[in-house]
Amino acid sequence: MGSKQSVALSPDESQEVANRTGFSIAQVNKLYHRFNLLDKDSKGHLSRDDLLAIPELAMNPLADKIVNLFLPGENNDATSTECGFLKYCEVLSHFRPTNSKTKESDLNSKQAKTKLIFDIFDKDKSNRLTRNELLEILRMMVGKNISEDQLYAIAERAIVEAKQNLDGKSDAGLCLEDFATAMKSTEIDAKMSVRFHD
Amino acid sequence: MEETSELLPIIGLNWDEVKIPLVISLWILFAGIAKIGFHYANRVAPRVPECCLLICLGLIVGGIIYAVRDDSNHNDFLTIAEHLFTPHTFFLIILPPIVLEAGYFMPKDAFFNNIGTILTYAIIGTLLNSFATGLSLYGVYKGGLMPGLDDSHDRPMGILESVIAVFEEIHVNVVLYICVFGESLLNDGVAVVLYKVYESFLEMPEGSVNATNIFRAVLKFFVVAGGGTLLGIVFGFFGAFITKYTIHVRIIEPTFVFIVCYIAYLTAECVDFSAILSIVFCGFTMISYVEHNISGKSHTTVKYGMKMVANICEITIFMFLGISAISDFWIHWNTGFVFWTVLFITVYRFMSVYGLTYLLNKGRLEPIGKVDQFVMAYGGLRGGIAFALTKLTSIQLVPQINVMLCACLVVIFFTSFIQGASVGPIVEWLNVKKGDAEKRGMDEEVVYRAIDHVVSGIEDVIGHHGMHWWMHKLSEFNAKRINPIFTRDAWRLADQEILDIYHRMNLRDATKIINKADTGIMLNRSEQKLAELMLQGNSLPDMNPQDSSSSNLRLNLDENADLGKFDKKECIKVKHDANLHHMLVDHLYPTRQNMKTHEMLRTRRGHIPAESKICHQKQEIFFRRKIQYHKNSKDPKKKGRYEKVAGDLVETESERALKKKGLEKMDDIVEEEDLVEIVADGSPESPDEGITLNIDYTSTDLSRTESPEVNGNITAKNDDDTLVLAQTELPWKSNSRISVEADPRTNTETGRRYRTTSNISGTSQEQ
């Protein structure tokens, strides 16, 4: 929706969002309500500070990564500092529960969810998950009482296990397909589902 | 002369005194042997669930006892059995272990994620089934049965772990498993509660079934169930608190776990709360704190103790079912009642499962599929609790109780045999989504946690206080407030989870690798990598390897230090010690005293004891002494002879070594994974030092898998005649020489030993 300042969502707009993301109209409206709540200065878009102002999110170890989902850009262009409503909904729609009707192209398909997680891990956008990236995630998730050594060992082991059925490319890291294969028994799609109320 | 004194009895019979414990013990022994027998029988009939076989066994035993019943003098077994297996014993002794084991090991994540579903099935489903069946039966047989609420009693509700056992074998997916499991556990509790309510009604005079009392009944239901749960949780915390201080009394730690849980059960029973719910939640609450407090050995004790007792009790129940069937069966048969009961129970079970699931799926994130529903409905077995409750009812209250008993038995048999046996194939036929047999790996664990955090974050963004949010809040609260009270070193807990998982996995894998290496099985590629990983240590490029994690990790080494807590340096030292030990054991001459044990041990490990070894050894000693003697003699002639002899000896020895050990030596050194040379030194220059050994570890090359290739190498080496080298250093003095390399080396030495003896059969072996 760009940076248009709109207080209420017109039915056309909400329909468009619903089509793009798969939410129902009621859900879209509810999300819009929340969007406005978060957008404190009524800018029409969300900034980094808006998101980090959510108290529980600020205490989340992976807070930065989550915010990066909404504000992905790295350069100082509009996409990295502003998150419009459509983008907001698109990101959130990844977390809709899957059911038998979900197509592969939908935003909440298993492939899309896996890719989302992969992107969270893959900091430098190299499409390969290296040991160091895993290490960084681990570091964020554990506290101070685990030493660097042990973290490294854990990350190393994780990589080894994930690659145990694959050969070669030992230092190049995991690509998306490898990651998906390694995770296939974890039921990522069930785990990455959030209930959206109407 | 008359003898008024009797003869002193030399042998006596004390049957009466030991009667009861002896019968119990024999009974348990018999049950255990039966279980062993079933595993052999399972080759014949793999599809039959164990509970069926046990019931059959009970039937047989019951039949035997029944047949000899008339001989009333030798009734001891039967009467004791009957006296022992009263509902009283059942509820106070046999049931608690089973239920405790179920509650203690219930997977917590899955339980909380599906708790709504489980509660719905357990409570609402049970109630619906009960009333529906009861009313239907009442309707069908209006005049013939006792009027009132107690018709259906609780037969629909006793669902036992036999269903769980089948599911565990088949590894169905977690949701299905937890739903059935949780439901079975909780509705046992519900069943007992209902039973109490029913019984109270029966004890009150007629006409008390009015609105007020029904309301009170409902209230009582909630009080009993809720009270039991709360009581269990309180005791759970209490037990956890005790274990916080047991660091100096490790030996009796398991006692606390068992006793506190049992007390929870008995206390609840005492105040008329639901004892089953109490003990289940006691174990459930306790486990997360207790696991951090108790030592590894105590943990094992608790785990296996619980499982063992639970198993025995289950066996007992089923056998008694069989026995009771014989005694009570024929007398009170009422075809109509039985038939209708079975029919109604089945029908209502299916209806309630499907109906409830339909409603639940509207609210669930992950809907339960049709197939799973079918399995749940079909696989719900009725079992011991139902039977025990029925038996418990005194005959005054319900005159037709025996009829019901019959029906109960039939239902149990029907569901156990027919449904139990067929649920396995049906599960496969319907392609029920299988769970993963293996536990989560480290990579999955990390990702799993990351996803947890992300989803919590998303829920925060939405502002939605979903399940994740509540669970997150709960676990935070737990970590901040509760853990410090109930666990020792709570500061470690928050981060330790991932580390603990890592340690556990390492331990598991290390054991697996060692076992494999010990028996000479080749490690596959992933295992090799893991082995490397575990031993290389953390070669973080920018970190000094000496600055190992052990200094940062505050070890909590107590007397029963768990293996996972050894630090790296200790590992190296342990390995060196192990090497040294192996070397010494292998190459030291055994004394006469320990020669026998030596030989025995070697035999047991697969070595063929060598007569010639002892001979050879004796010869060696003899020759060496001779050399010594000759060397020291001033006689030049003898000296010269000595040298020759020495040379001879050395040569012969090496030759002999080659010949006898040769073949073996090839195999000795023929190792897919590394090259080791054992150099026997009989250097003439310094016989004073005796035979010293030099073990030279060459490079460990894990990727070598071809033995012929290595063979070729070794033959080359043999030609070089490196076998008789002057010794350089003692291996244990040369720290630099023995670098910490992959674990398989140590193990492969032993592996080699085993392998050689197995490869070379018939020839005498020497080490």
Side-chain angles (χ1 to χ4, degrees):
Chain A
M1 312 286 292
S3 42
K4 217 166 42 166
Q5 303 202 13
S6 52
V7 179
L9 206 55
S10 74
D12 286 336
E13 289 164 359
S14 47
Q15 183 63 49
E16 188 198 327
V17 173
N19 289 342
R20 287 280 290 272
T21 60
F23 285 120
S24 71
I25 304 279
Q27 285 172 332
V28 171
N29 285 332
K30 210 149 196 252
L31 285 173
Y32 190 69
H33 186 69
R34 176 76 182 167
F35 182 81
N36 279 334
L37 266 179
L38 292 174
D39 181 12
K40 300 225 169 39
D41 308 326
S42 300
K43 305 185 290 291
H45 56 256
L46 292 177
S47 69
R48 201 171 199 90
D49 295 326
D50 284 333
L51 284 171
L52 287 174
I54 306 172
E56 291 91 4
L57 186 62
M59 294 198 295
N60 193 314
L62 297 182
D64 282 326
K65 302 279 187 185
I66 297 175
V67 172
N68 281 345
L69 285 177
F70 293 97
L71 302 168
E74 248 143 25
N75 351 331
N76 286 327
D77 63 353
T79 53
S80 67
T81 52
E82 304 169 356
C83 171
F85 181 60
L86 187 58
K87 179 80 184 149
Y88 178 77
C89 288
E90 272 177 0
V91 172
L92 290 177
S93 71
H94 280 99
F95 291 90
R96 276 196 310 121
T98 44
N99 52 30
S100 46
K101 298 200 218 84
T102 315
K103 300 184 286 296
E104 255 197 51
S105 54
D106 277 349
L107 282 175
N108 64 335
S109 64
K110 184 166 182 170
Q111 291 77 358
K113 289 189 202 247
T114 315
K115 177 120 185 35
L116 195 75
I117 283 291
F118 189 77
D119 286 340
I120 288 182
F121 276 67
D122 184 17
K123 179 172 153 200
D124 54 2
K125 307 268 177 283
S126 59
N127 276 340
R128 284 203 165 274
L129 202 51
T130 65
R131 187 184 302 122
N132 286 332
E133 284 164 347
L134 202 63
L135 190 59
E136 194 193 321
I137 293 269
L138 256 176
R139 209 177 284 137
M140 292 168 100
M141 287 199 297
V142 298
K144 315 174 278 304
N145 293 309
I146 299 191
S147 72
E148 193 63 35
D149 270 354
Q150 291 172 310
L151 276 182
Y152 192 80
I154 293 174
E156 182 66 46
R157 191 195 165 105
I159 291 269
V160 164
E161 280 195 7
K163 295 179 80 55
Q164 66 185 1
N165 298 324
L166 317 162
D167 290 313
K169 15 184 185 113
S170 90
D171 267 336
L174 293 169
C175 65
L176 180 59
E177 288 79 31
D178 298 341
F179 183 72
T181 323
M183 293 299 127
K184 75 172 171 324
S185 57
T186 334
E187 309 216 336
I188 281 191
D189 46 352
K191 199 86 181 101
M192 276 181 67
S193 298
V194 173
R195 185 166 303 148
F196 290 95
H197 287 314
D198 309 312
Chain B
M1 196 149 44
E2 275 193 17
E3 304 244 346
T4 51
S5 59
E6 290 183 3
L7 291 173
L8 180 73
I10 301 178
I11 305 176
L13 203 60
N14 274 341
W15 174 246
D16 283 329
E17 281 173 20
V18 297
K19 177 159 68 173
I20 294 182
L22 187 60
V23 168
I24 297 177
S25 310
L26 282 174
W27 183 254
I28 296 178
L29 179 67
F30 183 54
I33 294 181
K35 211 170 161 108
I36 299 178
F38 292 151
H39 278 277
Y40 291 107
N42 263 336
R43 293 206 208 120
V44 177
R47 284 283 174 222
V48 184
E50 214 173 73
C51 60
C52 298
L53 293 171
L54 284 167
I55 295 181
C56 285
L57 189 68
L59 286 171
I60 296 174
V61 174
I64 297 175
I65 294 183
Y66 194 74
V68 300
R69 202 192 249 270
D70 307 314
D71 187 7
S72 52
N73 287 336
H74 299 282
N75 243 351
D76 276 333
F77 272 116
L78 181 62
T79 43
I80 289 173
E82 274 183 355
H83 284 156
L84 284 179
F85 187 60
T86 59
H88 181 80
T89 345
F90 175 76
F91 278 109
L92 287 186
I93 301 188
I94 302 189
L95 185 60
I98 300 177
V99 183
L100 174 61
E101 193 252 336
Y104 197 77
F105 293 111
M106 185 136 61
K108 290 188 124 161
D109 289 342
F111 182 75
F112 280 122
N113 281 339
N114 292 298
I115 188 157
T117 317
I118 294 175
L119 282 174
T120 314
Y121 282 132
I123 300 181
I124 301 183
T126 311
L127 288 171
L128 280 179
N129 276 349
S130 156
F131 287 125
T133 318
L135 288 174
S136 315
L137 281 173
Y138 183 61
V140 166
Y141 266 86
K142 236 195 265 199
L145 296 173
M146 175 91 171
L149 309 151
D150 61 320
D151 285 346
S152 70
H153 248 287
D154 16 57
R155 247 159 290 118
M157 299 161 228
I159 296 188
L160 213 56
E161 279 85 31
S162 33
V163 110
I164 302 303
V166 173
F167 277 175
E168 267 187 24
E169 285 165 29
I170 311 180
H171 296 297
V172 293
N173 61 75
V174 170
V175 173
L176 180 58
Y177 175 82
I178 195 65
C179 282
V180 177
F181 191 43
E183 185 206 354
S184 81
L185 214 50
L186 289 184
N187 73 12
D188 280 346
V190 172
V192 177
V193 169
L194 270 181
Y195 176 81
K196 287 190 203 289
V197 171
Y198 282 152
E199 203 178 30
S200 314
F201 265 121
L202 282 175
E203 282 169 353
M204 298 197 313
E206 278 286 334
S208 306
V209 185
N210 51 27
T212 335
N213 274 341
I214 291 189
F215 173 69
R216 287 171 80 94
V218 170
L219 201 61
K220 180 178 172 102
F221 172 79
F222 281 108
V223 163
V224 169
T229 315
L230 276 178
L231 194 65
I233 295 180
V234 164
F235 271 103
F237 280 122
F238 176 61
F241 188 68
I242 293 184
T243 55
K244 186 177 172 191
Y245 296 104
T246 55
I247 189 169
H248 296 293
V249 287
R250 292 288 195 195
I251 293 286
I252 59 171
E253 263 174 346
T255 323
F256 291 116
V257 175
F258 290 119
I259 286 290
V260 170
C261 291
Y262 194 45
I263 289 182
Y265 185 86
L266 294 172
T267 316
E269 187 69 31
C270 187
V271 295
D272 219 20
F273 282 162
S274 164
I276 292 179
L277 289 177
S278 168
I279 198 174
V280 165
F281 282 102
C282 182
F284 188 75
T285 321
M286 212 190 236
I287 186 173
S288 41
Y289 307 108
V290 159
E291 289 301 304
H292 285 286
N293 286 339
I294 61 179
S295 70
K297 293 184 181 161
S298 300
H299 164 80
T300 313
T301 312
V302 166
K303 178 171 171 189
Y304 283 100
M306 246 189 232
K307 287 189 184 278
M308 182 187 81
V309 178
N311 237 291
I312 298 273
C313 292
E314 263 180 54
I315 298 175
T316 319
I317 289 180
F318 281 117
M319 286 180 78
F320 268 119
L321 270 177
I323 292 184
S324 303
I326 296 293
S327 37
D328 299 320
F329 207 48
W330 311 110
I331 314 174
H332 304 282
W333 179 264
N334 180 337
T335 319
F337 187 79
V338 168
F339 170 71
W340 284 111
T341 310
V342 172
L343 181 69
F344 281 135
I345 286 179
T346 323
V347 165
Y348 285 127
R349 170 88 183 150
F350 272 85
M351 277 174 57
S352 71
V353 167
Y354 275 96
L356 283 176
T357 317
Y358 175 72
L359 289 174
L360 282 171
N361 276 346
K362 297 201 165 187
R364 275 179 63 93
L365 274 175
E366 194 192 338
I368 301 182
K370 284 281 188 310
V371 174
D372 287 352
Q373 292 175 37
F374 178 76
V375 176
M376 257 193 277
Y378 191 73
L381 300 183
R382 293 46 163 160
I385 296 210
F387 179 70
L389 285 175
T390 322
K391 243 193 154 172
L392 185 60
T393 324
S394 65
I395 200 152
Q396 291 91 350
L397 288 180
V398 184
Q400 277 85 2
I401 192 63
N402 286 320
V403 182
M404 293 185 200
L405 203 60
C406 259
C408 181
L409 279 170
V410 171
V411 169
I412 295 177
F413 285 170
F414 172 73
T415 55
S416 298
F417 280 91
I418 300 181
Q419 288 184 340
S422 55
V423 83
I426 287 186
V427 160
E428 289 188 17
W429 179 55
L430 288 176
N431 286 326
V432 173
K433 203 159 54 139
K434 303 275 179 75
D436 209 358
E438 299 261 331
K439 288 203 181 136
R440 288 204 294 260
M442 196 74 225
D443 51 345
E444 290 164 319
E445 192 67 43
V446 173
V447 173
Y448 203 76
R449 280 153 187 277
I451 295 182
D452 251 341
H453 283 300
V454 168
V455 175
S456 289
I458 293 288
E459 279 185 353
D460 296 330
V461 169
I462 303 180
H464 166 65
H465 289 180
M467 191 51 123
H468 270 106
W469 189 83
W470 284 112
M471 295 309 301
H472 197 69
K473 274 279 181 238
L474 188 66
S475 66
E476 260 184 40
F477 176 68
N478 193 23
K480 256 206 275 250
R481 306 286 169 162
I482 303 190
N483 271 337
I485 307 179
F486 293 105
T487 54
R488 239 178 294 125
D489 304 331
W491 59 268
R492 287 172 69 210
L493 255 189
D495 313 320
Q496 279 305 87
E497 269 196 54
I498 251 197
L499 204 57
D500 281 345
I501 292 174
Y502 174 65
H503 273 312
R504 254 206 308 273
M505 280 189 201
N506 268 352
L507 202 58
R508 198 183 64 204
D509 285 333
T511 327
K512 221 187 341 175
I513 289 175
I514 289 179
N515 282 337
K516 271 198 168 183
D518 259 2
T519 51
I521 301 175
M522 257 293 292
L523 300 176
N524 64 37
R525 191 179 166 75
S526 63
E527 284 164 345
Q528 285 173 3
K529 283 220 84 173
L530 285 174
E532 256 184 60
L533 211 59
M534 279 188 260
L535 291 151
Q536 266 168 15
N538 311 314
S539 48
L540 204 56
D542 44 331
M543 289 203 77
N544 188 358
Q546 285 308 105
D547 180 22
S548 80
S549 56
S550 52
S551 49
N552 294 341
L553 184 67
R554 277 148 62 174
L555 294 175
N556 190 13
L557 291 173
D558 44 78
E559 314 82 86
N560 302 330
D562 300 327
L563 199 56
K565 290 178 185 166
F566 282 161
D567 65 338
K568 202 68 60 346
K569 293 193 185 107
E570 263 197 46
C571 260
I572 298 177
K573 180 169 180 303
V574 165
K575 199 196 319 252
H576 281 186
D577 287 347
N579 288 344
L580 184 55
H581 176 73
H582 282 311
M583 221 155 48
L584 288 175
V585 164
D586 289 343
H587 299 285
L588 280 179
Y589 289 133
T591 64
R592 194 183 319 132
Q593 230 125 18
N594 65 19
M595 180 115 51
K596 242 197 148 165
T597 35
H598 211 70
E599 289 305 306
M600 233 165 46
L601 283 175
R602 281 163 181 267
T603 323
R604 208 180 292 141
R605 276 193 271 146
H607 291 256
I608 301 167
E611 285 288 318
S612 58
K613 165 156 174 49
I614 306 177
C615 286
H616 177 65
Q617 174 182 310
K618 287 184 180 155
Q619 278 174 345
E620 246 175 58
I621 299 178
F622 174 68
F623 274 123
R624 203 194 294 145
R625 283 206 345 251
K626 262 209 132 168
I627 292 175
Q628 189 85 351
Y629 170 69
H630 281 292
K631 182 197 173 199
N632 289 339
S633 86
K634 302 298 179 196
D635 190 349
K637 191 167 138 206
K638 282 199 175 151
K639 232 191 173 143
R641 210 178 133 215
Y642 147 74
E643 270 157 17
K644 182 168 180 292
V645 170
D648 265 347
L649 172 67
V650 167
E651 204 161 39
T652 0
E653 211 178 21
S654 66
E655 252 178 55
R656 204 183 311 137
L658 255 188
K659 249 187 293 182
K660 277 194 184 150
K661 286 189 191 177
L663 202 53
E664 170 210 4
K665 189 146 222 139
M666 304 276 237
D667 280 46
D668 234 20
I669 310 178
V670 162
E671 178 47 57
E672 287 84 349
E673 280 150 341
D674 61 23
L675 312 169
V676 173
E677 300 168 17
I678 299 182
V679 176
D681 176 38
S683 148
E685 285 85 40
S686 52
D688 290 315
E689 297 192 24
I691 293 188
T692 50
L693 303 158
N694 178 28
I695 297 193
D696 181 2
Y697 292 110
T698 56
S699 67
T700 312
D701 193 344
L702 285 180
S703 60
R704 294 246 201 152
T705 50
E706 299 296 316
S707 44
E709 176 192 348
V710 179
N711 231 334
N713 260 348
I714 294 305
T715 36
K717 279 222 176 296
N718 284 343
D719 290 341
D720 279 346
D721 201 20
T722 50
L723 288 175
V724 187
L725 275 180
Q727 65 112 41
T728 46
E729 1 175 331
L730 297 171
W732 53 87
K733 285 189 189 156
S734 62
N735 280 328
S736 53
R737 289 279 289 273
I738 302 185
S739 50
V740 178
E741 292 177 3
D743 202 29
R745 189 187 340 112
T746 318
N747 298 318
T748 51
E749 271 188 27
T750 50
R752 232 181 304 122
R753 241 177 276 132
Y754 304 145
R755 208 174 308 120
T756 48
T757 52
S758 57
N759 287 342
I760 305 173
S761 51
T763 55
S764 54
Q765 291 301 302
E766 302 160 308
Q767 274 295 319

